[in-house]
mmCIF file of all heavy atoms in Angstrom:
data_model
loop_
_atom_site.group_PDB
_atom_site.id
_atom_site.type_symbol
_atom_site.label_atom_id
_atom_site.label_comp_id
_atom_site.label_asym_id
_atom_site.label_seq_id
_atom_site.Cartn_x
_atom_site.Cartn_y
_atom_site.Cartn_z
ATOM 1 N N LYS A 35 -12.998 0.592 3.707
ATOM 2 C CA LYS A 35 -12.941 0.342 2.271
ATOM 3 C C LYS A 35 -13.612 1.485 1.506
ATOM 4 O O LYS A 35 -13.168 1.883 0.442
ATOM 5 C CB LYS A 35 -13.624 -0.979 1.935
ATOM 6 C CG LYS A 35 -13.457 -1.412 0.480
ATOM 7 C CD LYS A 35 -13.937 -2.823 0.275
ATOM 8 C CE LYS A 35 -13.825 -3.235 -1.186
ATOM 9 N NZ LYS A 35 -12.428 -3.219 -1.669
ATOM 10 N N TYR A 61 -0.474 6.440 -2.223
ATOM 11 C CA TYR A 61 -0.711 6.803 -3.612
ATOM 12 C C TYR A 61 -2.179 7.174 -3.791
ATOM 13 O O TYR A 61 -3.064 6.705 -3.086
ATOM 14 C CB TYR A 61 -0.412 5.639 -4.552
ATOM 15 C CG TYR A 61 1.025 5.229 -4.624
ATOM 16 C CD1 TYR A 61 1.522 4.208 -3.809
ATOM 17 C CD2 TYR A 61 1.897 5.846 -5.513
ATOM 18 C CE1 TYR A 61 2.843 3.815 -3.879
ATOM 19 C CE2 TYR A 61 3.223 5.456 -5.598
ATOM 20 C CZ TYR A 61 3.681 4.445 -4.780
ATOM 21 O OH TYR A 61 4.992 4.062 -4.860
ATOM 22 N N GLN A 63 -5.073 7.081 -6.882
ATOM 23 C CA GLN A 63 -5.353 6.532 -8.193
ATOM 24 C C GLN A 63 -6.634 7.153 -8.734
ATOM 25 O O GLN A 63 -7.686 7.069 -8.097
ATOM 26 C CB GLN A 63 -5.486 5.009 -8.112
ATOM 27 C CG GLN A 63 -5.592 4.328 -9.466
ATOM 28 C CD GLN A 63 -5.583 2.823 -9.345
ATOM 29 O OE1 GLN A 63 -6.176 2.250 -8.445
ATOM 30 N NE2 GLN A 63 -4.878 2.154 -10.255
ATOM 31 N N GLY A 66 -7.887 6.310 -15.484
ATOM 32 C CA GLY A 66 -7.075 6.614 -16.657
ATOM 33 C C GLY A 66 -5.698 7.161 -16.355
ATOM 34 O O GLY A 66 -4.977 7.554 -17.277
ATOM 35 N N GLN A 67 -5.324 7.181 -15.074
ATOM 36 C CA GLN A 67 -4.001 7.696 -14.716
ATOM 37 C C GLN A 67 -3.214 6.663 -13.924
ATOM 38 O O GLN A 67 -3.796 5.807 -13.250
ATOM 39 C CB GLN A 67 -4.127 8.963 -13.867
ATOM 40 C CG GLN A 67 -4.776 10.133 -14.595
ATOM 41 C CD GLN A 67 -4.700 11.402 -13.775
ATOM 42 O OE1 GLN A 67 -3.672 11.677 -13.141
ATOM 43 N NE2 GLN A 67 -5.763 12.175 -13.775
ATOM 44 N N GLY A 68 -1.926 6.766 -13.993
ATOM 45 C CA GLY A 68 -1.081 5.924 -13.159
ATOM 46 C C GLY A 68 -1.126 6.382 -11.713
ATOM 47 O O GLY A 68 -1.575 7.479 -11.407
ATOM 48 N N LEU A 69 -0.656 5.535 -10.835
ATOM 49 C CA LEU A 69 -0.591 5.896 -9.422
ATOM 50 C C LEU A 69 0.308 7.116 -9.237
ATOM 51 O O LEU A 69 1.370 7.210 -9.846
ATOM 52 C CB LEU A 69 -0.016 4.733 -8.609
ATOM 53 C CG LEU A 69 -0.747 3.400 -8.692
ATOM 54 C CD1 LEU A 69 -0.061 2.384 -7.790
ATOM 55 C CD2 LEU A 69 -2.196 3.551 -8.306
ATOM 56 N N ASP A 85 4.789 13.540 -5.176
ATOM 57 C CA ASP A 85 4.508 14.468 -6.269
ATOM 58 C C ASP A 85 3.284 15.351 -6.025
ATOM 59 O O ASP A 85 3.178 16.442 -6.574
ATOM 60 C CB ASP A 85 4.278 13.670 -7.558
ATOM 61 C CG ASP A 85 5.521 12.869 -7.948
ATOM 62 O OD1 ASP A 85 6.625 13.389 -7.749
ATOM 63 O OD2 ASP A 85 5.369 11.741 -8.431
ATOM 64 N N PHE A 114 -9.414 7.005 -5.295
ATOM 65 C CA PHE A 114 -9.088 5.713 -4.688
ATOM 66 C C PHE A 114 -7.681 5.842 -4.125
ATOM 67 O O PHE A 114 -6.754 6.196 -4.853
ATOM 68 C CB PHE A 114 -9.159 4.621 -5.762
ATOM 69 C CG PHE A 114 -9.065 3.220 -5.241
ATOM 70 C CD1 PHE A 114 -9.881 2.781 -4.229
ATOM 71 C CD2 PHE A 114 -8.173 2.326 -5.798
ATOM 72 C CE1 PHE A 114 -9.817 1.474 -3.759
ATOM 73 C CE2 PHE A 114 -8.093 1.012 -5.345
ATOM 74 C CZ PHE A 114 -8.910 0.587 -4.324
ATOM 75 N N LEU A 116 -4.385 4.301 -2.203
ATOM 76 C CA LEU A 116 -3.666 3.055 -1.989
ATOM 77 C C LEU A 116 -2.456 3.273 -1.105
ATOM 78 O O LEU A 116 -1.678 4.199 -1.324
ATOM 79 C CB LEU A 116 -3.206 2.468 -3.321
ATOM 80 C CG LEU A 116 -4.297 1.828 -4.171
ATOM 81 C CD1 LEU A 116 -3.848 1.695 -5.610
ATOM 82 C CD2 LEU A 116 -4.675 0.466 -3.597
ATOM 83 N N THR A 125 13.076 1.589 -3.167
ATOM 84 C CA THR A 125 11.676 1.192 -3.307
ATOM 85 C C THR A 125 11.524 -0.275 -3.698
ATOM 86 O O THR A 125 10.936 -1.041 -2.982
ATOM 87 C CB THR A 125 10.955 2.071 -4.322
ATOM 88 O OG1 THR A 125 11.742 2.182 -5.500
ATOM 89 C CG2 THR A 125 10.749 3.450 -3.748
ATOM 90 N N TYR A 126 12.040 -0.652 -4.838
ATOM 91 C CA TYR A 126 11.905 -2.009 -5.329
ATOM 92 C C TYR A 126 10.465 -2.481 -5.234
ATOM 93 O O TYR A 126 9.543 -1.746 -5.454
ATOM 94 C CB TYR A 126 12.888 -2.961 -4.638
ATOM 95 C CG TYR A 126 14.321 -2.630 -4.938
ATOM 96 C CD1 TYR A 126 15.150 -2.110 -3.960
ATOM 97 C CD2 TYR A 126 14.830 -2.793 -6.219
ATOM 98 C CE1 TYR A 126 16.463 -1.780 -4.245
ATOM 99 C CE2 TYR A 126 16.140 -2.461 -6.509
ATOM 100 C CZ TYR A 126 16.953 -1.956 -5.523
ATOM 101 O OH TYR A 126 18.242 -1.620 -5.807
ATOM 102 N N GLU A 127 10.231 -3.714 -4.879
ATOM 103 C CA GLU A 127 8.878 -4.241 -4.868
ATOM 104 C C GLU A 127 8.073 -3.638 -3.719
ATOM 105 O O GLU A 127 8.553 -3.560 -2.590
ATOM 106 C CB GLU A 127 8.893 -5.753 -4.717
ATOM 107 C CG GLU A 127 7.500 -6.378 -4.778
ATOM 108 C CD GLU A 127 7.542 -7.879 -4.596
ATOM 109 O OE1 GLU A 127 8.626 -8.460 -4.732
ATOM 110 O OE2 GLU A 127 6.486 -8.452 -4.309
ATOM 111 N N GLN A 128 6.872 -3.202 -4.057
ATOM 112 C CA GLN A 128 5.981 -2.645 -3.055
ATOM 113 C C GLN A 128 4.749 -3.540 -2.934
ATOM 114 O O GLN A 128 4.231 -4.026 -3.937
ATOM 115 C CB GLN A 128 5.566 -1.222 -3.436
ATOM 116 C CG GLN A 128 6.733 -0.262 -3.469
ATOM 117 C CD GLN A 128 6.317 1.154 -3.815
ATOM 118 O OE1 GLN A 128 5.147 1.508 -3.725
ATOM 119 N NE2 GLN A 128 7.275 1.963 -4.222
ATOM 120 N N PHE A 130 0.873 -3.741 -1.839
ATOM 121 C CA PHE A 130 -0.231 -2.795 -1.727
ATOM 122 C C PHE A 130 -1.351 -3.309 -0.834
ATOM 123 O O PHE A 130 -1.631 -4.511 -0.778
ATOM 124 C CB PHE A 130 -0.812 -2.493 -3.111
ATOM 125 C CG PHE A 130 0.055 -1.604 -3.945
ATOM 126 C CD1 PHE A 130 1.067 -2.134 -4.736
ATOM 127 C CD2 PHE A 130 -0.127 -0.221 -3.932
ATOM 128 C CE1 PHE A 130 1.874 -1.300 -5.500
ATOM 129 C CE2 PHE A 130 0.674 0.614 -4.690
ATOM 130 C CZ PHE A 130 1.675 0.069 -5.477
ATOM 131 N N GLY A 131 -2.000 -2.360 -0.171
ATOM 132 C CA GLY A 131 -3.211 -2.670 0.555
ATOM 133 C C GLY A 131 -4.396 -2.716 -0.387
ATOM 134 O O GLY A 131 -4.250 -2.459 -1.580
ATOM 135 N N PRO A 132 -5.596 -3.016 0.137
ATOM 136 C CA PRO A 132 -6.781 -3.148 -0.708
ATOM 137 C C PRO A 132 -7.368 -1.815 -1.163
ATOM 138 O O PRO A 132 -8.229 -1.794 -2.043
ATOM 139 C CB PRO A 132 -7.760 -3.897 0.183
ATOM 140 C CG PRO A 132 -7.331 -3.546 1.560
ATOM 141 C CD PRO A 132 -5.852 -3.403 1.507
ATOM 142 N N GLY A 133 -6.924 -0.727 -0.577
ATOM 143 C CA GLY A 133 -7.385 0.583 -1.007
ATOM 144 C C GLY A 133 -8.589 1.097 -0.233
ATOM 145 O O GLY A 133 -9.358 0.328 0.352
ATOM 146 N N ARG A 135 -11.738 3.873 -0.987
ATOM 147 C CA ARG A 135 -12.378 4.797 -1.946
ATOM 148 C C ARG A 135 -13.022 5.920 -1.151
ATOM 149 O O ARG A 135 -13.969 5.695 -0.396
ATOM 150 C CB ARG A 135 -13.408 4.080 -2.801
ATOM 151 C CG ARG A 135 -14.025 4.998 -3.860
ATOM 152 C CD ARG A 135 -14.732 4.239 -4.950
ATOM 153 N NE ARG A 135 -13.852 3.371 -5.711
ATOM 154 C CZ ARG A 135 -13.014 3.773 -6.661
ATOM 155 N NH1 ARG A 135 -12.937 5.042 -6.971
ATOM 156 N NH2 ARG A 135 -12.273 2.897 -7.320
ATOM 157 N N TYR D 46 14.843 -1.188 -12.989
ATOM 158 C CA TYR D 46 13.997 -2.225 -12.400
ATOM 159 C C TYR D 46 12.578 -1.974 -12.850
ATOM 160 O O TYR D 46 12.116 -0.822 -12.850
ATOM 161 C CB TYR D 46 14.118 -2.158 -10.886
ATOM 162 C CG TYR D 46 13.292 -3.155 -10.114
ATOM 163 C CD1 TYR D 46 13.564 -4.516 -10.195
ATOM 164 C CD2 TYR D 46 12.262 -2.730 -9.290
ATOM 165 C CE1 TYR D 46 12.806 -5.429 -9.469
ATOM 166 C CE2 TYR D 46 11.508 -3.629 -8.565
ATOM 167 C CZ TYR D 46 11.793 -4.979 -8.661
ATOM 168 O OH TYR D 46 11.043 -5.882 -7.942
ATOM 169 N N ILE D 48 8.415 -3.576 -12.915
ATOM 170 C CA ILE D 48 7.446 -4.484 -12.299
ATOM 171 C C ILE D 48 6.155 -4.446 -13.103
ATOM 172 O O ILE D 48 5.754 -3.389 -13.610
ATOM 173 C CB ILE D 48 7.114 -4.067 -10.851
ATOM 174 C CG1 ILE D 48 8.370 -3.970 -9.991
ATOM 175 C CG2 ILE D 48 6.128 -5.043 -10.210
ATOM 176 C CD1 ILE D 48 8.089 -3.476 -8.572
ATOM 177 N N TYR D 50 2.110 -5.172 -12.450
ATOM 178 C CA TYR D 50 1.087 -5.373 -11.428
ATOM 179 C C TYR D 50 -0.241 -5.725 -12.092
ATOM 180 O O TYR D 50 -0.530 -5.268 -13.202
ATOM 181 C CB TYR D 50 0.881 -4.099 -10.594
ATOM 182 C CG TYR D 50 1.960 -3.796 -9.600
ATOM 183 C CD1 TYR D 50 2.984 -2.908 -9.898
ATOM 184 C CD2 TYR D 50 1.949 -4.388 -8.342
ATOM 185 C CE1 TYR D 50 3.966 -2.608 -8.968
ATOM 186 C CE2 TYR D 50 2.946 -4.095 -7.409
ATOM 187 C CZ TYR D 50 3.945 -3.213 -7.742
ATOM 188 O OH TYR D 50 4.917 -2.922 -6.822
ATOM 189 N N GLN D 52 -4.358 -5.484 -11.234
ATOM 190 C CA GLN D 52 -5.302 -4.861 -10.312
ATOM 191 C C GLN D 52 -6.721 -5.216 -10.708
ATOM 192 O O GLN D 52 -7.195 -4.829 -11.786
ATOM 193 C CB GLN D 52 -5.128 -3.342 -10.284
ATOM 194 C CG GLN D 52 -5.977 -2.666 -9.224
ATOM 195 C CD GLN D 52 -5.716 -1.175 -9.129
ATOM 196 O OE1 GLN D 52 -5.213 -0.548 -10.059
ATOM 197 N NE2 GLN D 52 -6.042 -0.572 -7.986
ATOM 198 N N GLY D 55 -11.664 -2.499 -7.826
ATOM 199 C CA GLY D 55 -11.888 -2.153 -6.427
ATOM 200 C C GLY D 55 -10.876 -2.716 -5.464
ATOM 201 O O GLY D 55 -11.063 -2.636 -4.249
ATOM 202 N N LYS D 56 -9.782 -3.262 -5.973
ATOM 203 C CA LYS D 56 -8.759 -3.858 -5.105
ATOM 204 C C LYS D 56 -7.398 -3.212 -5.326
ATOM 205 O O LYS D 56 -7.198 -2.469 -6.281
ATOM 206 C CB LYS D 56 -8.654 -5.361 -5.373
ATOM 207 C CG LYS D 56 -9.920 -6.133 -5.061
ATOM 208 C CD LYS D 56 -9.713 -7.613 -5.268
ATOM 209 C CE LYS D 56 -10.975 -8.390 -4.930
ATOM 210 N NZ LYS D 56 -10.788 -9.861 -5.135
ATOM 211 N N GLY D 57 -6.478 -3.511 -4.433
ATOM 212 C CA GLY D 57 -5.132 -3.006 -4.583
ATOM 213 C C GLY D 57 -4.343 -3.806 -5.601
ATOM 214 O O GLY D 57 -4.679 -4.944 -5.910
ATOM 215 N N PRO D 58 -3.308 -3.217 -6.169
ATOM 216 C CA PRO D 58 -2.472 -3.923 -7.149
ATOM 217 C C PRO D 58 -1.756 -5.112 -6.520
ATOM 218 O O PRO D 58 -1.359 -5.066 -5.355
ATOM 219 C CB PRO D 58 -1.474 -2.856 -7.588
ATOM 220 C CG PRO D 58 -2.091 -1.555 -7.236
ATOM 221 C CD PRO D 58 -2.894 -1.810 -6.009
ATOM 222 N N PHE D 60 1.500 -7.761 -7.159
ATOM 223 C CA PHE D 60 2.734 -8.008 -7.892
ATOM 224 C C PHE D 60 2.587 -9.254 -8.755
ATOM 225 O O PHE D 60 2.087 -10.285 -8.301
ATOM 226 C CB PHE D 60 3.867 -8.196 -6.879
ATOM 227 C CG PHE D 60 5.161 -8.654 -7.455
ATOM 228 C CD1 PHE D 60 6.097 -7.728 -7.860
ATOM 229 C CD2 PHE D 60 5.455 -10.002 -7.580
ATOM 230 C CE1 PHE D 60 7.316 -8.153 -8.374
ATOM 231 C CE2 PHE D 60 6.650 -10.433 -8.109
ATOM 232 C CZ PHE D 60 7.582 -9.503 -8.499
ATOM 233 N N ASP D 63 8.729 -9.246 -11.931
ATOM 234 C CA ASP D 63 9.636 -8.122 -12.085
ATOM 235 C C ASP D 63 10.823 -8.527 -12.957
ATOM 236 O O ASP D 63 11.043 -9.704 -13.240
ATOM 237 C CB ASP D 63 10.105 -7.598 -10.722
ATOM 238 C CG ASP D 63 10.843 -8.658 -9.887
ATOM 239 O OD1 ASP D 63 10.965 -9.808 -10.343
ATOM 240 O OD2 ASP D 63 11.267 -8.331 -8.763
ATOM 241 N N ARG D 65 15.008 -6.980 -13.915
ATOM 242 C CA ARG D 65 16.036 -5.962 -13.792
ATOM 243 C C ARG D 65 16.591 -5.642 -15.168
ATOM 244 O O ARG D 65 16.486 -6.439 -16.105
ATOM 245 C CB ARG D 65 17.140 -6.427 -12.842
ATOM 246 C CG ARG D 65 16.631 -6.656 -11.445
ATOM 247 C CD ARG D 65 17.711 -6.603 -10.388
ATOM 248 N NE ARG D 65 17.131 -6.783 -9.062
ATOM 249 C CZ ARG D 65 16.568 -5.807 -8.371
ATOM 250 N NH1 ARG D 65 16.520 -4.585 -8.866
ATOM 251 N NH2 ARG D 65 16.053 -6.038 -7.181
ATOM 252 N N PHE D 103 -0.706 -2.943 -15.112
ATOM 253 C CA PHE D 103 0.137 -1.789 -15.351
ATOM 254 C C PHE D 103 1.578 -2.073 -14.970
ATOM 255 O O PHE D 103 1.866 -2.899 -14.110
ATOM 256 C CB PHE D 103 -0.409 -0.529 -14.660
ATOM 257 C CG PHE D 103 -0.564 -0.616 -13.172
ATOM 258 C CD1 PHE D 103 0.497 -0.284 -12.342
ATOM 259 C CD2 PHE D 103 -1.768 -0.983 -12.595
ATOM 260 C CE1 PHE D 103 0.359 -0.334 -10.969
ATOM 261 C CE2 PHE D 103 -1.907 -1.028 -11.230
ATOM 262 C CZ PHE D 103 -0.837 -0.704 -10.406
ATOM 263 N N GLU D 107 11.524 1.766 -12.054
ATOM 264 C CA GLU D 107 12.255 2.308 -10.918
ATOM 265 C C GLU D 107 13.556 2.916 -11.432
ATOM 266 O O GLU D 107 14.362 2.249 -12.062
ATOM 267 C CB GLU D 107 12.554 1.200 -9.910
ATOM 268 C CG GLU D 107 13.606 1.528 -8.866
ATOM 269 C CD GLU D 107 13.101 2.451 -7.782
ATOM 270 O OE1 GLU D 107 11.885 2.423 -7.537
ATOM 271 O OE2 GLU D 107 13.903 3.197 -7.197
ATOM 272 N N ASP D 110 12.966 6.851 -8.304
ATOM 273 C CA ASP D 110 11.719 6.556 -7.626
ATOM 274 C C ASP D 110 10.873 5.663 -8.533
ATOM 275 O O ASP D 110 11.257 5.387 -9.661
ATOM 276 C CB ASP D 110 10.957 7.824 -7.233
ATOM 277 C CG ASP D 110 10.705 8.749 -8.413
ATOM 278 O OD1 ASP D 110 10.886 8.309 -9.570
ATOM 279 O OD2 ASP D 110 10.340 9.908 -8.195
ATOM 280 N N MET D 111 9.740 5.247 -8.031
ATOM 281 C CA MET D 111 8.894 4.331 -8.794
ATOM 282 C C MET D 111 7.856 5.139 -9.567
ATOM 283 O O MET D 111 7.191 6.009 -8.995
ATOM 284 C CB MET D 111 8.196 3.359 -7.839
ATOM 285 C CG MET D 111 7.444 2.249 -8.532
ATOM 286 S SD MET D 111 8.523 0.981 -9.208
ATOM 287 C CE MET D 111 8.988 0.109 -7.718
ATOM 288 N N ARG D 112 7.728 4.865 -10.872
ATOM 289 C CA ARG D 112 6.733 5.534 -11.693
ATOM 290 C C ARG D 112 5.826 4.468 -12.290
ATOM 291 O O ARG D 112 6.286 3.424 -12.735
ATOM 292 C CB ARG D 112 7.406 6.323 -12.811
ATOM 293 C CG ARG D 112 8.257 7.472 -12.305
ATOM 294 C CD ARG D 112 7.412 8.608 -11.783
ATOM 295 N NE ARG D 112 8.186 9.605 -11.056
ATOM 296 C CZ ARG D 112 7.671 10.726 -10.566
ATOM 297 N NH1 ARG D 112 6.383 10.991 -10.731
ATOM 298 N NH2 ARG D 112 8.450 11.570 -9.903
ATOM 299 N N PHE D 113 4.526 4.775 -12.302
ATOM 300 C CA PHE D 113 3.535 3.790 -12.724
ATOM 301 C C PHE D 113 2.848 4.218 -14.015
ATOM 302 O O PHE D 113 2.521 5.389 -14.198
ATOM 303 C CB PHE D 113 2.474 3.617 -11.635
ATOM 304 C CG PHE D 113 3.014 3.097 -10.340
ATOM 305 C CD1 PHE D 113 3.539 3.956 -9.391
ATOM 306 C CD2 PHE D 113 2.998 1.744 -10.061
ATOM 307 C CE1 PHE D 113 4.044 3.479 -8.189
ATOM 308 C CE2 PHE D 113 3.491 1.250 -8.861
ATOM 309 C CZ PHE D 113 4.020 2.124 -7.933
ATOM 310 N N GLY D 114 2.585 3.267 -14.873
ATOM 311 C CA GLY D 114 1.785 3.505 -16.049
ATOM 312 C C GLY D 114 0.310 3.524 -15.692
ATOM 313 O O GLY D 114 -0.094 3.115 -14.607
ATOM 314 N N ALA D 115 -0.510 3.978 -16.629
ATOM 315 C CA ALA D 115 -1.947 4.107 -16.383
ATOM 316 C C ALA D 115 -2.659 2.765 -16.396
ATOM 317 O O ALA D 115 -3.681 2.588 -15.736
ATOM 318 C CB ALA D 115 -2.581 5.052 -17.398
#
Side-chain angles (χ1 to χ4, degrees):
Chain A
K35 187 170 178 62
Y61 293 94
Q63 188 174 40
Q67 296 188 40
L69 302 182
D85 298 323
F114 189 52
L116 286 162
T125 48
Y126 296 110
E127 183 181 344
Q128 296 181 18
F130 286 87
R135 183 163 298 282
Chain D
Y46 179 67
I48 304 176
Y50 285 97
Q52 187 175 21
K56 297 184 179 180
F60 171 91
D63 60 358
R65 298 202 178 278
F103 59 88
E107 165 76 27
D110 55 13
M111 188 75 76
R112 295 288 169 176
F113 298 86

